[in-house]
Amino acid sequence: MSLEIAALLALLVAMAALFLTEKLPLEVTAFSGLVILTLSGLVPVEQAFDGFRSPAVITMLSMFFLASALRHTGITDRIGHHAEVRLGKSEVVLSLAVMLAAAALSAFMYNIAATAVLLPAVMSVAQRTGASPSRLFMPLSFGAILGGTVTLVGSPPNILVADAVERAGVEPLGLFDIAPVGLVLVLVGVAYMVLVGRRWLPQRDAPAPMSRRSDLVQVYRLHSSLFSIRVPRRSTLEGRALKDTSLSRSLGIRVVSVLRGGKPYSTPDAETTLLAGDILLVQGSADDVRGLFRMSGSEFAEAAADDIDAAGEAVSGIVARARDGSAVVGKTLRELDFRRRFGGIVIGVGRDGGLSRSDLGDVRLTAGDELLVIGVRRDLDEEGIRRHFTVAAMGATEFRKLRGQLFVVRVPGRSGLVGRTIAETRLGELVGLTISGILRGGDALLGLEPTEVIRKDDRLLVTGAVDRMRDVLELGQLELQQDVGVESLESERVGLVEVTLPPRSSAAGRTLADLRFRDRYGLQVLAIWREGRCVHDGLGSLSLRFGDALLVQGAWRGIQLLAGDANFVVLSERAQGPRRTRKAPIALLALAGMVGMVLLGWQPLHVAAFTAATFVLLGGAVTMEEAYRGIEWRALFVVAAILPFGVALQQTGAADLLARQVVAVAGPLGPTAVLAALAVLSSAVSQSLDGAPAVVLLAPVATAAATALGVSPTPLLLGVGFGASAAFLTPFSHKANLLVMGAGGYRTVDYLRVGALLTVLFLGGVVLLVPVLFPF
């Protein structure tokens, strides 16, 4: 192995690792590899950028334009509607229809585009029939992948194989030359999924039929995080804007919707004014809010002089300063078990001129910290405290000086706290208060156990951050209701839809806060489905991923605005913008013209495709902006930057070296065995990278192997191309799989379980059919 070959193979391995881990964007990895390839002299400078003007890239770009025209003129919608209207509710029939529709579109559209345009229609089918989306979305993506094998323009691997065949100097492939193989593969794949594969599909909760409204609330398990609060008459909230209330701060909730007259009135913003009788649909912890509501009716105030005096001389206050080198330094009060060890309750920690009064159990002590401690004199371990702290002051007088740090919660008979234990009040967890003691009659009870029951007319001596407690009590009497249905989230003005991220989305890796999602679209995300589980908490700070499904609620105009953003796919037909149905004949004529030019041999494929793309632009079937949004720029740039590596593999002799290895292993069994080896190798590479790079890298190897065997390169190149399309084993092996992953609620193991046998059948069909139709 020469130094040049070793350097090239090392570069390819490094790029493959970066492709797989995506530590860099795929196109950046491809560009960086091309720069290194050029600067190192592994490819001549004059050929370094041939990929950007290659016929394969021109064909891919043109097909993106044509696919956008088919979508914006409503042709793709009609195919989806036809499948929806004409078929019944049988899962077998639905799966069959979905796969065939996807295959038909994918024969002339990029696989990911065919999947994306059919997703809303398939979701509509699921809603109308009660079928589970998880039973239809994987068949959809697999159908699109299979359909891409029917024509040369059906997928980038096919386009690249056609280009490689032409460069090999043999008879070029026609547009439909591979159709016999592709159609058989489609039929085998559809039959497998309908008869066998669907049995291994997961059963995600099915939405109810449209006649009973789709129950996305159940699918996304919103019952665990959504509940409603009713605003009664004479409430302190009546007539106030949301921004002027303390709802979010005091209750730890997010107002999702305001129901007025039983219907969602609006998607609330800071200026929304609340009225008596409004029902606020909120997201948060119902248990926490229920616990906070129990405090209603209690009275809260700073401890008065008579409250302090009621404690009597039996109570002592201590100001203790942690000594440098003491065993308590570096530990938290919880780790020290301060209350049991020293018999006192810490009500504040002073440090650097400030005073902490909340979450004291987690404060890690440092030398010089001043602890404000109270306790019953007979229980305080004064000697133990002096052993670790410098006592600045001690006694009943100091206790009275701590008045400003103590507060009293008076518990009348109507309070929800009556009859509950200190632990059950959850005051520390909910509002950051610590019950230091109870003033009961003339007695001061300190150092109480969590099992102590609160009685009528008790006065709870509390410490901590008091602002939230005040806010809760200012809200007054509110009514909490747990049952929430989809009718609480949807109306004629307000919609509830699922949204997924396509593989090219720039939203991946960014949070909803980064995207300013609510400000930009006027919508809110209620939940995210990720890898088989629902996420309800911390949505604003959660980085989005490819394959996520977002449950989005808001005004329909905002949903339609979101549907026009190429970074998201909205799974709702109503959200789709108006179609130029009157321009549909232009798109169909462009497609027919492209096919005619190629079949008649008038123009090569890339010229015919570019002509069709120009025709739909001139005819107004698609605007330039829409066409740009429909381009899979990442795939285009990756292919353009990777193509020179094929040249480098040939010119350095690396292709011949790899070909000799393949021939040495499989050659003794004949060229069919070599074809099988190349197909399996191509499939394996495409599972972790992508079909297009797999073809670019293995096409020179296939050509060299054909030369070594003395056979035509066409069947071996087709083996590479078809193998690259066998992308069924993981959601990451094909962008169409990744697109449906979130909306279908799939996990990686689901693809492996369903796709393993399909991959074997697919590759077996390739090995059997290609040598028959394309002799060696």
Side-chain angles (χ1 to χ4, degrees):
M1 181 187 298
S2 68
L3 184 60
E4 279 189 332
I5 294 177
L8 177 58
L9 294 180
L11 177 59
L12 288 173
V13 170
M15 290 177 63
L18 289 174
F19 276 137
L20 187 60
T21 60
E22 293 195 32
K23 289 185 177 180
L24 292 175
L26 299 183
E27 57 271 39
V28 174
T29 297
F31 287 173
S32 301
L34 179 58
V35 169
I36 295 173
L37 192 73
T38 305
L39 295 181
S40 63
L42 293 174
V43 67
V45 173
E46 57 272 14
Q47 293 180 294
F49 300 100
D50 282 357
F52 291 91
R53 59 186 179 88
S54 72
V57 171
I58 297 298
T59 303
M60 288 175 61
L61 177 66
S62 303
M63 293 309 300
F64 285 130
F65 277 51
L66 192 54
S68 292
L70 293 173
R71 178 181 179 183
H72 287 283
T73 55
I75 294 172
T76 56
D77 295 338
R78 291 185 184 182
I79 294 177
H81 282 302
H82 182 79
E84 178 183 349
V85 172
R86 301 233 172 186
L87 298 170
K89 297 183 179 181
S90 166
E91 184 181 291
V92 171
V93 177
L94 288 174
S95 298
L96 178 66
V98 165
M99 293 194 72
L100 291 178
L105 275 181
S106 189
F108 296 98
M109 293 178 68
Y110 190 32
N111 309 140
I112 183 68
T115 305
V117 299
L118 285 178
L119 265 175
V122 175
M123 177 57 79
S124 177
V125 169
Q127 291 174 340
R128 292 183 187 279
T129 63
S132 171
S134 66
R135 311 289 290 180
L136 298 178
F137 282 173
M138 193 181 294
L140 169 64
S141 66
F142 284 2
I145 295 171
L146 291 166
T149 64
V150 175
T151 70
L152 286 187
V153 295
S155 68
N158 295 354
I159 295 171
L160 292 167
V161 164
D163 183 61
V165 168
E166 189 169 350
R167 284 189 285 106
V170 295
E171 184 179 353
L173 291 170
L175 182 62
F176 293 106
D177 282 355
I178 63 173
V181 179
L183 288 173
V184 172
L185 295 177
V186 168
L187 293 177
V188 170
V190 170
Y192 163 77
M193 288 299 296
V194 169
L195 300 176
V196 180
R198 70 182 185 88
R199 303 178 188 276
W200 294 321
L201 290 169
Q203 180 69 46
R204 173 184 167 187
D205 293 338
M210 188 63 73
S211 59
R212 303 196 307 269
R213 314 280 290 185
S214 59
D215 197 2
L216 289 171
V217 170
Q218 179 181 357
V219 173
Y220 278 84
R221 301 168 190 167
L222 294 185
H223 288 294
S224 63
S225 64
L226 278 186
F227 53 97
S228 58
I229 296 174
R230 185 177 181 275
V231 180
R233 292 188 181 280
R234 294 184 295 277
S235 167
T236 58
L237 297 179
E238 186 176 359
R240 297 173 67 183
L242 273 176
K243 67 177 182 180
D244 298 326
T245 71
S246 61
L247 277 169
S248 296
R249 181 176 65 254
S250 59
L251 300 183
I253 59 174
R254 179 166 65 101
V255 180
V256 170
S257 182
V258 177
L259 280 67
R260 192 165 291 168
K263 296 290 184 181
Y265 171 72
S266 69
T267 300
D269 56 30
E271 302 297 332
T272 300
T273 300
L274 303 180
L275 302 178
D278 281 351
I279 295 177
L280 311 182
L281 190 65
V282 301
Q283 192 168 37
S285 170
D287 287 340
D288 287 357
V289 173
R290 192 175 289 110
L292 291 167
F293 280 4
R294 282 198 292 267
M295 301 174 197
S296 297
S298 302
E299 301 168 6
F300 184 79
E302 185 175 315
D306 57 347
D307 295 318
I308 298 295
D309 291 339
E313 293 297 323
V315 178
S316 179
I318 300 176
V319 179
R321 186 178 298 111
R323 286 202 297 264
D324 191 14
S326 169
V328 302
V329 173
K331 295 183 179 180
T332 67
L333 296 176
R334 182 173 289 109
E335 290 170 348
L336 290 171
D337 197 8
F338 191 95
R339 177 175 163 182
R340 293 186 181 277
R341 183 174 177 180
F342 299 108
I345 299 171
V346 179
I347 64 173
V349 176
R351 179 182 296 171
D352 299 330
L355 181 66
S356 298
R357 297 187 300 185
S358 59
D359 300 322
L360 298 180
D362 297 321
V363 174
R364 196 165 296 279
L365 300 181
T366 61
D369 283 352
E370 283 194 346
L371 277 60
L372 309 184
V373 184
I374 63 172
V376 177
R377 184 181 298 276
R378 66 174 180 270
D379 295 332
L380 281 170
D381 181 5
E382 296 181 9
E383 183 179 345
I385 292 175
R386 292 181 185 278
R387 190 177 303 121
H388 298 283
F389 299 88
T390 299
V391 177
M394 177 182 289
T397 302
E398 291 304 316
F399 174 62
R400 291 185 175 89
K401 289 180 180 179
L402 296 177
R403 173 182 163 188
Q405 313 303 327
L406 295 172
F407 300 85
V408 170
V409 177
R410 302 180 188 274
V411 185
R414 68 180 183 276
S415 172
L417 298 178
V418 174
R420 296 188 178 274
T421 66
I422 290 177
E424 289 172 343
T425 67
R426 300 172 62 205
L427 282 179
E429 178 186 349
L430 297 176
V431 292
L433 295 182
T434 300
I435 299 179
S436 302
I438 295 179
L439 303 178
R440 182 173 293 162
D443 297 327
L445 309 177
L446 299 181
L448 298 172
E449 295 297 326
T451 55
E452 179 71 27
V453 176
I454 296 172
R455 302 177 187 176
K456 174 184 175 182
D457 296 327
D458 276 351
R459 288 169 293 167
L460 310 182
L461 203 60
V462 300
T463 61
V466 299
D467 291 342
R468 189 174 182 190
M469 181 71 175
R470 284 198 179 105
D471 289 339
V472 170
L473 294 180
E474 285 176 2
L475 292 176
Q477 296 289 336
L478 298 174
E479 301 171 12
L480 184 145
Q481 301 170 338
Q482 185 70 49
D483 190 31
V484 174
V486 73
E487 65 277 357
S488 304
L489 295 163
E490 280 191 308
S491 68
E492 286 301 313
R493 298 170 53 187
V494 179
L496 181 69
V497 297
E498 285 186 287
V499 177
T500 189
L501 269 66
R504 65 175 178 271
S505 175
S506 63
R510 303 174 68 188
T511 67
L512 294 172
D514 294 337
L515 296 170
R516 297 176 59 248
F517 190 88
R518 183 160 183 164
D519 293 338
R520 181 175 297 178
Y521 304 106
L523 306 172
Q524 52 198 345
V525 178
L526 303 183
I528 294 178
W529 188 286
R530 174 175 292 175
E531 296 180 355
R533 64 184 183 91
C534 286
V535 181
H536 299 116
D537 301 324
L539 300 181
S541 58
L542 186 68
S543 295
L544 301 179
R545 299 179 187 171
F546 295 134
D548 281 349
L550 286 63
L551 185 63
V552 174
Q553 188 251 6
W556 277 110
R557 63 180 180 275
I559 294 174
Q560 290 170 348
L561 178 65
L562 182 67
D565 190 332
N567 292 307
F568 300 94
V569 175
V570 178
L571 307 185
S572 168
E573 291 187 296
R574 178 174 175 178
Q576 307 306 312
R579 303 305 194 195
R580 303 184 190 89
T581 53
R582 297 174 63 181
K583 299 289 187 178
I586 293 176
L588 291 174
L589 184 60
L591 180 60
M594 179 193 74
V595 173
M597 281 189 282
V598 175
L599 289 180
L600 295 173
W602 184 31
Q603 293 293 340
L605 178 58
H606 65 285
V607 175
F610 191 78
T611 301
T614 305
F615 186 76
V616 295
L617 288 169
L618 291 174
V622 65
T623 67
M624 202 69 196
E625 182 181 356
E626 291 166 343
Y628 279 143
R629 286 204 305 264
I631 296 173
E632 182 74 39
W633 291 107
R634 176 174 292 185
L636 206 64
F637 285 141
V638 167
V639 170
I642 288 291
L643 277 171
F645 280 84
V647 176
L649 284 167
Q650 289 179 317
Q651 294 186 351
T652 60
D656 291 330
L657 175 65
L658 295 174
R660 286 196 297 271
Q661 301 300 317
V662 173
V663 171
V665 173
L669 301 177
T672 301
V674 174
L675 185 152
L678 289 170
V680 170
L681 183 59
S682 180
S683 177
V685 172
S686 70
Q687 303 302 325
S688 55
L689 298 181
D690 189 56
V695 172
V696 171
L697 297 177
L698 292 178
V701 178
T703 302
T707 301
L709 293 170
V711 299
S712 169
T714 300
L716 298 186
L717 287 169
L718 286 174
V720 169
F722 282 123
S725 295
F728 309 109
L729 290 178
T730 74
F732 311 103
S733 58
H734 199 286
K735 295 181 178 66
N737 294 340
L738 202 56
L739 180 61
V740 302
M741 183 182 183
Y746 301 124
R747 298 173 297 172
T748 301
V749 68
D750 295 325
Y751 286 92
L752 184 61
R753 183 167 51 239
V754 178
L757 184 54
L758 177 58
T759 301
V760 173
L761 293 173
F762 184 96
L763 294 176
V766 170
V767 174
L768 291 175
L769 294 171
V770 169
V772 174
L773 297 171
F774 299 90
F776 291 105

